[in-house]
Amino acid sequence: MKFILKFVLLVVVVALIPASVWFVVTQPIVTMPSSAPTKAAPAAVDTARLEGHVRTLSQTLHPRNGGNRENMNRAAAYIRQEFQNAGGRVVEQAFDDEGSVYRNVSAHFGPETDERIVVGAHYDAFGDSPGADANAGGVAGLIELAGLLGKTGLKTQVELVAYALAQPPYWGTPRMGSAVHAFSLRTQNRAVRVMICLDMIGCFSDREGSQKYPVQQLEWLYSSKGNFIAVVGNLGQIDEVRRVKTAMTGASPLPVFSVNAPLFFSGIDFSDHRNYWQADYRAVAITDTAALRNPNYRTARDTADTLDYKRMGMVVQGVHAAVIAFDR
């Protein structure tokens, strides 16, 4: 009898291990705090303005890569003006790369507290690609988030940052604009409650098979349709991912999936949040999963006409709700 009980216990434990891993990785259950934004009262996002920003960055200011300093400067100036229009306290962080000067553009909202919340998106594109989804959409979301924050009473300083130089040959080097920003905060010993990265937030599809995954096992856990937004963190950001997912889920009907995975997991650090991890800050990424969903990624087909601005607006609503959740 004791042998049978031990055997049953062993079976239960073995069965619970994958279930526990699944629960940690996907965080299938979120608890809505009573004061969180609800689907009945989301923050208002003007989808026509979102589209206008994307078209300006991907068409008027095309190409906007590190080799085209004129358009990079024009993009920085455009973002600066939009941040100022939203009521942000704008600061430019100029940095030199092999004799060329590039600029991160920041807008600060709320009181000048010691600790801050950072939300960032890079404004350069890959090569000659228009980069509508990658990453004009992320910057458009950042600009419209600025408009919402300008009307929001905050207890904590919120810094929105548009980064120069995220694409190759800068990717993965200290020359990335987000690396310059993250390590400047660390050098100054600035406290960051959380960093939220926006990278590709405008591609959605309700077609079966439109969503791919880096490993086959993830197909068992998530949808085969690219109709959701993803919140991504490593195993050290389980709480941050949960809080962002909870807030975003309550802000709109858009499905929100999440993943926490070890650093060796392919794609887990494929954006600007990686530099905040390296500077020992807690950070998450919000993404439509890039090449795993968008067939136009880094091609001439990544145009403004291919994006879903209604659902992109829901993403911005969700990010606004997440900022408010961390501001408490």
Side-chain angles (χ1 to χ4, degrees):
M1 186 66 178
K2 288 183 178 179
F3 172 79
I4 294 175
L5 289 175
K6 289 181 179 178
F7 178 77
V8 170
L9 180 61
L10 177 62
V11 170
V12 170
V13 170
V14 170
L16 285 176
I17 290 174
S20 300
V21 171
W22 168 76
F23 192 89
V24 169
V25 168
T26 66
Q27 301 200 35
I29 299 173
V30 295
T31 303
M32 286 300 301
S34 59
S35 58
T38 66
K39 295 177 183 178
V45 176
D46 188 333
T47 56
R49 281 180 52 84
L50 277 174
E51 182 173 356
H53 299 316
V54 171
R55 290 193 180 277
T56 296
L57 290 164
S58 64
Q59 296 173 184
T60 307
L61 302 177
H62 170 261
R64 57 181 203 286
N65 55 58
N68 193 313
R69 282 182 292 166
E70 180 181 357
N71 278 350
M72 289 290 286
N73 285 332
R74 292 172 66 202
Y78 177 80
I79 296 165
R80 178 188 179 102
Q81 185 60 60
E82 292 296 330
F83 280 168
Q84 289 176 333
N85 292 345
R89 304 184 298 278
V90 180
V91 177
E92 290 189 355
Q93 181 183 40
F95 60 98
D96 180 88
D97 178 68
E98 298 181 349
S100 297
V101 176
Y102 298 93
R103 293 178 288 166
N104 293 332
V105 184
S106 293
H108 297 254
F109 296 88
E112 295 283 352
T113 53
D114 292 335
E115 190 176 30
R116 71 189 65 189
I117 298 164
V118 176
V119 185
H122 67 84
Y123 63 87
D124 61 322
F126 179 75
D128 289 333
S129 168
D133 194 25
N135 188 33
V139 177
L142 200 66
I143 291 171
E144 288 307 294
L145 178 61
L148 297 179
L149 292 176
K151 304 170 186 175
T152 303
L154 298 167
K155 301 176 182 178
T156 308
Q157 180 177 182
V158 178
E159 181 180 6
L160 308 186
V161 196
Y163 310 111
L165 308 186
Q167 299 289 353
Y170 310 99
W171 167 254
T173 75
R175 300 152 66 196
M176 291 179 70
S178 54
V180 172
H181 184 262
F183 284 97
S184 71
L185 292 177
R186 176 52 63 202
T187 300
Q188 299 170 60
N189 202 28
R190 302 290 189 185
V192 175
R193 188 169 299 173
V194 69
M195 183 272 176
I196 300 173
C197 170
L198 307 183
D199 195 351
M200 302 191 67
I201 62 169
C203 179
F204 296 92
S205 175
D206 296 311
R207 179 177 58 82
E208 290 284 355
S210 57
Q211 183 66 49
K212 308 300 180 185
Y213 297 94
V215 293
Q216 185 177 4
Q217 288 77 5
L218 290 179
E219 296 178 2
W220 308 337
L221 306 178
Y222 299 103
S223 173
S224 66
K225 299 178 181 179
N227 61 355
F228 61 89
I229 195 71
V231 184
V232 178
N234 64 36
L235 295 179
Q237 277 82 52
I238 290 175
D239 182 62
E240 286 75 15
V241 166
R242 177 189 60 80
R243 292 179 69 182
V244 171
K245 181 179 181 179
T246 297
M248 295 188 73
T249 299
S252 84
L254 182 69
V256 183
F257 292 170
S258 64
V259 61
N260 286 92
L263 287 174
F264 61 77
F265 190 85
S266 177
I268 200 71
D269 65 346
F270 279 9
S271 194
D272 296 288
H273 60 297
R274 73 191 309 272
N275 292 311
Y276 292 83
W277 289 349
Q278 292 179 3
D280 200 27
Y281 289 120
R282 307 180 81 79
V284 303
I286 295 175
T287 180
D288 62 22
T289 75
L292 294 173
R293 177 184 305 175
N294 192 338
N296 304 317
Y297 180 60
R298 288 185 170 178
T299 73
R301 299 186 303 276
D302 184 12
T303 63
D305 294 326
T306 64
L307 303 190
D308 185 326
Y309 296 100
K310 180 178 179 180
R311 284 190 269 202
M312 188 191 297
M314 293 181 187
V315 175
V316 179
Q317 291 171 1
V319 176
H320 181 244
V323 170
I324 292 173
F326 279 97
D327 179 54
R328 293 185 183 131

